């Protein structure tokens, strides 16, 4: 239903508002255009030591400077607009930051990390790795992409949401249908629960509002893009320091606050209001802080949708330079989510279906972390302590508008908290780049769960036609997780060959899991070879482990006087990847990769008979059910990626992935995965016109998604109680939706004044009104006024649905979603 939120808004109102804003701003254009400021610090990427004497300049502009003895640089009198920043230093590779948008409203504060120079041999310029388009490193030479803050902000249809923007990258799918409202991150055919997220080295388990517990997806991202300097997405060849990743590792690098003055921005759009501030707290401390408020509930009420989502989120960071070698960082992020229902003024089958098919949600979460970085003679170490917590409450009733306890069908009252300690050392020895470290996590999990899986039903004569099936689990977990890693890499043959290898060990003291870390021995290695000036071949192998969800680990099934505890073995995934990279220029990059992923110990639902890899897109939680852990899986495919960084006025990305994904069911048979779309195509490009006008266009295609048809007999019997149909898992994913395709367009216009900048934007999702294929919905046919169900005998409908008329809602709506908004920087 969120996908339809702006369906009734007229585009003419959008353009009237746009015209009014421009006219009201016209008197301000008479001011002469002022100048902007760029400042920052240059440091060595490997040792984090400052680099003095680095040359910093703007390409194609007569503006340059050098970093001082503290590594600080400042560019004043910079004309506003989009620029490419170039940094060079003796003994280091050239660094280019493309598409840096300079405004008068906010100063830009950067931390530039330079990589040490690489020699050349027989005309093979290995220093081609310096390319700004290149994202690979010695540790991760392939399966890695980077996005800057401007890539995220200007992405058409992205709505400043990182989870949506990454769908432009190779191997990244957008959920089952492709055009849904949720941010379920599907990478190379893996489940949405297989990804991990780090913010400045602190793990943040949740990055979406209304997140599905045990999975991770949700309708709207939490992270504030104004905080982000760079987002790095790794889909294989994971560094050994990162645990619990099966499909991807997201590394979000935050900016530092402005050390010179207080500044900020306010963003207002059709769905939310956000404010961000940053500046100095003292001579040694800077900060960033933001808050965002959604007013979707007011908008949905105005356009007569029955759902009432409401959320807040908060984010902050402080950085204190204790001395030249020691830096203390503190960060926090949190969200408050509420999801309610209200009777629509004009009822339709689709609106009425939404009311009882989804739970009422109350959810909050936060992550708080402190990290200390200390420089050494040959590197640095990090020590971090963090705490994250999720409180998830969900309720569903036969009638969500008039809930009564005896009609309850779902209850989730869950609190999960993790206290984490991480330490890692990063150093160099005889040209070897070495890192090692340890982790410890104290987990506290309390879970109260009830689900009426099937109600007890009788026929008209009182005969039992269906026995009740309910789950009722009250449990808690308190256990310790621990792990350690070692990784080393070096370049050989005059730096043409890069080799990296690492190991990781993990365990925990939970009775139904695995305490011996040697049983989770996780080796990995990667190689990269420069075969010509602009060509590299790369390959990697790795074995990775992940604990199942806490909901699965804590679930206890009571049968009479006995109780059955779910297994909690580590899920295993083996990755094999090889590829080639062509660096045409400093701004242009092409990659072609093939991958194969193999899974073991995957959780399988005893009741449904399917792998939990096929679940995770529903609201609430997954894993609260009896499980066996003997499932297997495999996913394989090829990816092509082409990227053009900003050159003159144009920049763009093209990615294509063909893949196949399947997991075994309860019988051990491989079944097509719910995310097995086979084809993913994304094209995104932007063009910068004169006078700070910018146009962006994105096209996405996602192949037909498989789905499981309804068990019509069981659905008819249970619909009035459960509010939705029952799937026939004997035919899991044997049918498929139509392919998804859509295009989004975005127009930005900026005005720079003496003390502030105004950015007006219009973003239209699915501008050519393509059909959005979604999963079909089972319901009963209603009368013309939608006030009651029709019956075959004209009598009131029976609770067992025996006299109802089944009806399938196609769920293939056409939704054009325009968003007009503005950003004021000051």
């Amino acid at each position: 239903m969120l996908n339809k939120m702006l369906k009734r808004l007229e585009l003419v109102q959008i353009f009237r508002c746009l015209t009014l804003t421009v006219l009201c701003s016209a008197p301000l254009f008479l001011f002469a255009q002022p100048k902007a400021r760029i400042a920052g610090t240059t440091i060595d990427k490997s040792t984090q030591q400052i680099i003095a004497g680095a040359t910093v300049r703007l390409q194609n502009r007569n503006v340059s400077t050098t970093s001082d003895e503290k590594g600080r640089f400042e560019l004043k009198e910079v004309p506003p607009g989009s620029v490419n920043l170039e940094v060079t230093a003796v003994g280091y590779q050239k660094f280019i930051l493309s598409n840096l948008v300079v405004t008068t409203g906010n100063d830009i504060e950067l931390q530039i990390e330079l990589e040490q120079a690489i020699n050349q041999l027989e005309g093979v310029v290995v220093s081609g790795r310096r390319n700004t388009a290149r994202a690979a490193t010695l540790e991760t030479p392939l399966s890695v992409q980077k996005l800057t803050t401007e890539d995220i902000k200007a992405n058409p249809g992205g709505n400043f949401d990182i989870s949506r923007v990454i769908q432009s990258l190779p191997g990244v799918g957008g959920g089952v249908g492709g055009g849904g409202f949720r941010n379920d991150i599907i990478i190379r055919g893996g489940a949405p629960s297989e990804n991990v997220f780090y913010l400045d080295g602190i793990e943040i388990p949740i990055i979406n509002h209304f997140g599905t517990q045990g999975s991770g997806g949700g309708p709207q991202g939490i992270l504030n893009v104004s905080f982000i300097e760079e987002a790095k997405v790794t889909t294989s060849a994971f560094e050994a320091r990162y645990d619990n990743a099966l499909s991807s590792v997201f590394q979000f690098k935050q900016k530092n606050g402005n050390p010179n003055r207080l500044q900020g921005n306010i963003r207002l759009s059709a769905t939310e209001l956000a404010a961000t501030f940053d500046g100095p707290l003292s001579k040694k401390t800077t900060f960033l802080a933001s808050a965002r408020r959604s007013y979707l509930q007011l908008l949905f009420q105005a356009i007569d949708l029955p759902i009432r989502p409401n959320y807040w989120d908060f984010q902050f960071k402080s950085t204190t330079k204790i001395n030249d070698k020691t830096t203390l960082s503190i960060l926090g992020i949190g969200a408050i989510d509420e999801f309610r229902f209200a009777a629509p003024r004009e009822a339709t089958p689709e609106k009425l279906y939404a009311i009882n098919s989804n739970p009422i949600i109350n959810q909050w979460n936060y992550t708080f972390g402190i990290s200390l970085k200390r420089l050494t003679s040959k590197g640095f170490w990090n020590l971090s302590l963090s705490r994250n917590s999720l409180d998830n409450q969900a309720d569903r009733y036969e009638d969500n508008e008039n809930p009564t306890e005896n009609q309850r069908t779902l209850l989730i009252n869950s609190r999960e908290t993790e206290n984490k300690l991480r330490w890692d050392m990063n150093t160099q020895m005889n040209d070897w780049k070495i890192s090692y470290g340890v982790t410890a996590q104290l987990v506290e999990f309390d879970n109260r769960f009830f689900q009426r899986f099937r109600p007890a039903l009788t026929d008209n004569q009182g005969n039992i036609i269906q026995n009740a099936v309910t789950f009722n689990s009250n449990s808690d977990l308190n256990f310790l997780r621990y792990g350690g890693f070692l990784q080393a890499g070096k370049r050989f043959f005059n730096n043409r060959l890069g080799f990296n290898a690492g190991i990781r060990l993990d365990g925990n003291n939970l009775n139904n899991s695995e305490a011996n870390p040697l049983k989770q021995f996780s080796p990995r290695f990667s190689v990269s070879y420069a075969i010509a000036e602009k060509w590299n071949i790369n390959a990697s192998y790795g074995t990775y482990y992940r604990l199942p969800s806490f909901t699965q680990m804590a679930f206890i099934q009571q049968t009479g006087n006995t109780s059955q505890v779910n297994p909690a073995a580590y899920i295993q995934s083996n990755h094999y990847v090889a590829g080639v990279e062509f660096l045409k220029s400093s701004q242009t990059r092409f990659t072609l990769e093939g991958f194969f992923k193999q899974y073991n110990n995957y959780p399988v639902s005893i009741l449904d008979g399917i792998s939990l890899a096929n679940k995770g897109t529903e609201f609430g939680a997954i894993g609260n059910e009896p499980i066996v852990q003997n499932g297997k899986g495999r996913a394989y495919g090829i990816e092509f990626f082409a990227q053009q960084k900003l050159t003159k006025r144009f920049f763009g990305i093209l990615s294509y992935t063909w893949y196949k994904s399947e997991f075994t069911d309860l019988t051990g048979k491989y079944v097509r995965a719910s995310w097995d779309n086979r084809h993913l195509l994304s094209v995104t490009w932007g063009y910068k016109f004169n006078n700070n006008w910018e146009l962006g266009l994105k096209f996405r295609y996602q192949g037909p998604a498989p789905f499981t048809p309804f068990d019509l007999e069981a659905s008819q019997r249970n619909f009035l109680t459960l509010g939705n149909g029952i799937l026939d898992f004997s035919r899991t994913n044997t049918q498929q939706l139509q392919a998804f395709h859509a295009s989004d367009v975005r127009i930005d216009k900026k005005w720079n004044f003496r003390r502030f900048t105004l950015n007006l934007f219009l973003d239209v999702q699915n501008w050519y009104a393509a059909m959005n294929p979604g999963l079909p919905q089972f319901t009963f046919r209603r009368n013309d006024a939608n006030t009651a169900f029709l019956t075959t005998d004209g009598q009131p409908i029976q609770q067992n649905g025996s006299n109802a008329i089944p009806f399938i809602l196609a769920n293939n709506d056409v939704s054009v979603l325009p968003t007009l908004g503005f950003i004021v920087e000051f």
Side-chain angles (χ1 to χ4, degrees):
M1 293 299 295
L2 292 178
N3 207 31
K4 308 173 185 177
M5 64 182 180
L6 298 177
K7 188 175 179 181
R8 295 188 177 182
L9 296 182
E10 298 291 340
L11 278 173
V12 64
Q13 298 298 328
I14 297 292
F15 287 106
R16 285 177 180 173
C17 185
L18 175 63
T19 303
L20 180 62
T21 303
V22 173
L23 292 177
C24 291
S25 303
L28 299 173
F29 303 159
L30 299 177
F31 291 102
Q33 188 182 64
K35 304 297 183 179
R37 175 181 175 274
I38 303 174
T41 307
T42 54
I43 63 174
D44 185 297
K45 185 174 182 179
S46 297
T47 66
Q48 298 292 290
Q49 300 280 355
I50 62 171
I51 299 175
T55 300
V56 183
R57 73 178 188 91
L58 302 182
Q59 292 183 342
N60 303 317
R61 301 199 185 192
N62 189 27
V63 180
S64 64
T65 188
T66 57
S67 60
D68 61 20
E69 68 278 1
K70 294 184 178 181
R72 292 289 299 174
F73 66 87
E74 182 178 20
L75 295 172
K76 297 180 179 180
E77 301 298 314
V78 178
S82 296
V83 300
N84 290 345
L85 182 77
E86 180 181 292
V87 184
T88 56
V90 176
Y92 290 90
Q93 299 179 35
K94 180 190 299 183
F95 176 91
I96 301 175
L97 181 59
S98 297
N99 198 11
L100 185 64
V101 177
V102 184
T103 66
T104 58
N106 285 175
D107 296 344
I108 294 179
E109 182 69 24
L110 300 171
Q111 181 170 284
I112 305 298
E113 296 184 344
L114 298 183
E115 294 188 59
Q116 296 177 9
I118 302 173
N119 298 327
Q120 62 186 57
L121 174 68
E122 298 177 358
V124 179
V125 184
V126 190
S127 56
R129 302 170 194 276
R130 72 182 61 166
N131 284 280
T132 181
R134 183 179 172 92
T137 62
L138 175 64
E139 296 84 356
T140 307
L142 75 174
S143 302
V144 58
Q145 311 294 341
K146 286 183 180 180
L147 295 171
T148 66
T149 183
E150 190 59 29
D151 294 332
I152 301 168
K153 289 179 180 178
N155 187 273
N159 198 26
F160 305 97
D161 192 336
I162 294 172
S163 298
R164 291 190 178 274
V165 173
I166 65 164
Q167 294 175 25
S168 299
L169 301 179
V172 183
V176 175
F181 61 85
R182 287 177 57 93
N183 291 337
D184 295 301
I185 302 174
I186 312 299
I187 293 184
R188 290 181 170 178
S193 61
E194 297 177 10
N195 313 300
V196 295
F197 312 96
Y198 286 83
L199 188 65
D200 287 346
I202 301 292
E203 186 177 4
I204 48 171
I206 300 170
I207 65 168
N208 286 299
H209 288 282
F210 307 102
T212 301
Q213 190 176 15
S215 178
Q220 176 66 46
I222 295 175
L223 291 173
N224 184 347
V225 67
S226 296
F227 276 54
I228 304 301
E229 183 172 303
E230 177 184 88
K232 182 178 178 181
V233 185
T234 307
T235 54
S236 193
F238 309 135
E239 291 186 47
R241 71 182 69 240
Y242 300 115
D243 63 318
N244 240 27
L246 296 182
S247 278
S248 75
V249 175
F250 285 71
Q251 302 167 60
F252 301 109
K253 178 184 176 183
Q254 296 187 109
K255 303 174 181 177
N256 289 322
N258 189 338
N260 296 300
R261 70 176 180 92
L262 179 67
Q263 62 183 25
N265 68 72
I266 295 176
R267 184 175 79 241
L268 177 67
S269 71
T271 59
E272 63 187 22
L273 173 65
T276 303
F277 297 90
D278 70 280
L281 289 177
S282 68
K283 291 183 178 180
K284 294 185 176 182
T285 303
T286 62
F287 83 96
L288 296 95
S290 73
R292 178 170 56 164
R293 173 73 161 94
S294 160
Y295 47 89
L296 282 172
Q297 73 279 15
L298 302 177
L299 178 62
F300 284 16
Q301 181 179 0
I303 62 179
D304 196 30
L305 292 181
I307 57 177
R308 299 290 185 267
N310 182 28
Y311 64 79
W312 287 82
D313 59 50
F314 312 90
Q315 193 169 341
F316 75 88
K317 176 188 177 181
S318 70
T319 304
T320 302
K321 189 82 171 179
I322 297 176
N323 53 47
D324 290 342
K325 293 187 176 182
T326 310
T327 303
L328 176 70
S329 298
I330 303 174
L331 64 83
I333 183 170
I336 303 172
D337 304 327
E338 296 178 351
F339 196 88
R340 296 286 186 273
F341 300 94
R345 296 186 297 272
E346 180 181 345
T348 66
E350 292 81 5
K351 292 178 183 178
L352 296 174
Y353 176 86
I355 292 175
N356 291 327
S357 62
N358 293 296
I360 301 166
I361 298 173
N362 283 285
Q363 190 178 98
W364 56 259
N365 71 83
Y366 70 84
T367 298
F368 176 81
I370 302 175
S371 63
L372 188 70
K373 181 170 72 175
R374 173 75 177 177
L375 304 186
T376 65
S377 59
K378 295 184 179 180
F380 62 98
W381 55 258
N382 291 302
L383 176 66
S384 66
L385 179 65
S386 65
R387 176 183 174 91
N388 56 264
S389 187
L390 165 67
D391 187 277
N392 184 29
Q393 298 183 42
D395 302 276
R396 193 165 72 179
Y397 304 86
E398 293 182 23
D399 184 356
N400 276 337
E401 292 182 86
N402 302 289
T404 59
E405 192 61 33
N406 65 333
Q407 290 188 335
R408 178 185 292 276
T409 59
L410 176 69
L411 179 146
I412 300 173
N413 191 343
S414 177
R415 173 83 59 90
E416 61 180 60
T417 303
E418 296 174 281
N419 302 284
K420 303 175 181 178
L421 178 68
R422 295 177 181 272
W423 178 84
D424 61 79
M425 170 64 79
N426 306 270
T427 187
Q428 299 183 75
M429 184 181 300
N430 297 326
D431 295 327
W432 283 89
K433 190 175 181 181
I434 301 171
S435 60
Y436 53 90
V438 293
T439 61
Q441 303 179 28
L442 179 63
V443 178
E444 302 168 351
F445 181 63
D446 298 308
N447 192 40
R448 182 185 172 201
F449 177 78
F450 168 82
Q451 181 181 13
R452 191 187 305 175
F453 190 78
R454 299 286 187 272
L457 295 174
T458 60
D459 60 18
N460 294 336
Q461 288 74 42
N463 300 314
I464 297 176
I465 59 175
Q466 178 176 280
N467 292 317
V469 179
T470 61
F471 296 142
N472 197 343
S473 177
N474 291 280
S475 57
D476 62 85
L477 297 176
N478 290 276
F479 68 99
L480 179 68
R481 296 171 55 185
Y482 40 84
F485 75 93
L486 170 65
Q487 187 157 339
K490 184 179 179 180
R491 299 192 184 277
F492 300 90
F493 303 126
N494 229 9
N495 296 312
R496 294 178 62 175
L497 174 68
F499 173 78
N500 191 272
I503 57 171
R504 182 170 185 91
L505 302 172
D506 289 284
N508 66 81
N509 66 350
L510 196 63
N511 291 334
N512 57 333
S513 190
E514 182 54 64
N516 184 358
L518 292 176
K519 293 189 176 181
Q520 285 74 238
F521 179 72
S522 176
R524 69 222 41 209
F525 71 86
S526 58
V527 293
S528 177
Y529 189 74
I531 58 176
E533 178 182 352
K534 299 179 179 180
W535 289 87
N536 299 286
I537 56 173
N538 313 290
S540 71
Y541 163 79
T543 297
Y544 310 106
Y545 289 92
R546 179 182 178 90
L547 270 177
S549 66
F550 295 148
T551 49
Q552 173 192 323
M553 297 169 70
F555 184 82
I556 300 175
Q557 176 67 14
Q558 295 290 148
T559 306
N561 295 324
T562 63
S563 60
Q564 181 65 41
V565 180
N566 274 340
Y570 283 82
I571 306 168
Q572 182 195 55
S573 182
N574 299 310
H575 289 206
Y576 306 85
V577 187
V580 60
E581 179 181 49
F582 174 55
L583 299 166
K584 183 177 182 296
S585 69
S586 64
Q587 303 289 78
T588 309
R589 174 188 178 216
F590 298 90
T591 65
L592 179 66
E593 292 185 8
F595 63 89
F596 179 81
K597 298 197 295 186
Q598 184 181 50
Y599 295 90
N600 295 298
N601 300 330
Y602 222 101
V604 179
S605 167
I606 294 176
L607 206 59
D608 295 332
I610 65 169
S611 173
L612 259 61
N614 292 309
K615 298 187 176 186
T617 60
E618 59 269 32
F619 287 111
I622 65 168
N624 284 304
E625 58 178 309
I627 295 294
V628 294
Q629 229 177 310
N630 58 5
K632 296 182 180 297
R634 58 195 179 201
Y636 51 89
I638 57 173
E639 294 175 350
F640 173 75
F641 179 71
Q643 182 177 30
Q644 174 65 53
K645 288 286 189 176
L646 179 66
T647 303
K648 295 183 178 179
R649 298 181 181 272
F650 172 80
F651 58 94
I653 290 176
L654 182 149
S655 68
Y656 170 75
T657 304
W658 176 92
Y659 71 100
K660 187 175 182 179
S661 175
E662 52 191 6
F663 291 83
T664 58
D665 60 14
L666 196 59
T667 68
K669 175 185 175 183
Y670 276 97
V671 177
R672 189 177 178 186
S674 297
W675 337 107
D676 186 32
N677 299 85
R678 302 294 170 90
H679 300 279
L680 300 173
L681 173 66
S682 177
V683 182
T684 305
W685 65 266
Y687 192 85
K688 293 181 179 288
F689 297 90
N690 292 328
N691 299 318
N692 292 317
W693 283 92
E694 182 174 340
L695 173 66
L697 190 67
K698 178 169 67 178
F699 172 81
R700 286 196 301 129
Y701 172 87
Q702 189 162 305
F707 72 92
T708 302
F710 291 109
D711 181 330
L712 296 179
E713 182 179 350
S715 296
Q716 186 169 351
R717 287 200 306 263
N718 293 279
F719 176 75
L720 288 181
T721 300
L722 302 181
N724 49 32
I726 305 297
L727 300 180
D728 183 0
F729 288 110
S730 67
R731 297 185 290 161
T732 300
N733 292 334
T734 55
Q735 298 186 17
Q736 63 182 31
L737 304 172
Q738 295 185 28
F740 163 79
H741 60 88
S743 181
D744 309 321
V745 63
R746 181 184 173 99
I747 301 172
D748 283 79
K749 167 61 179 173
K750 292 182 178 68
W751 292 278
N752 287 284
F753 307 109
R754 182 180 178 184
R755 295 186 181 275
F756 73 96
T757 298
L758 173 64
N759 179 12
L760 192 67
F761 63 88
L762 173 65
D763 192 303
V764 184
Q765 298 181 39
N766 193 24
W767 62 268
Y768 64 74
M771 184 181 66
N772 181 18
L775 295 175
Q777 300 163 346
F778 181 94
T779 185
F780 292 153
R781 191 173 295 278
R782 298 176 181 268
N783 60 23
D784 292 339
N786 289 301
T787 57
F789 292 113
L790 295 175
T791 59
T792 57
D793 55 10
Q795 299 299 312
I797 193 167
Q798 298 291 322
Q799 185 64 28
N800 61 20
S802 58
N803 62 343
I805 303 174
F807 181 63
I808 304 295
L809 295 172
N811 197 20
N812 288 325
D813 295 310
V814 174
S815 298
V816 178
L817 307 179
T819 298
L820 177 69
F822 65 84
I823 304 171
V824 178
E825 298 180 356
F826 51 88

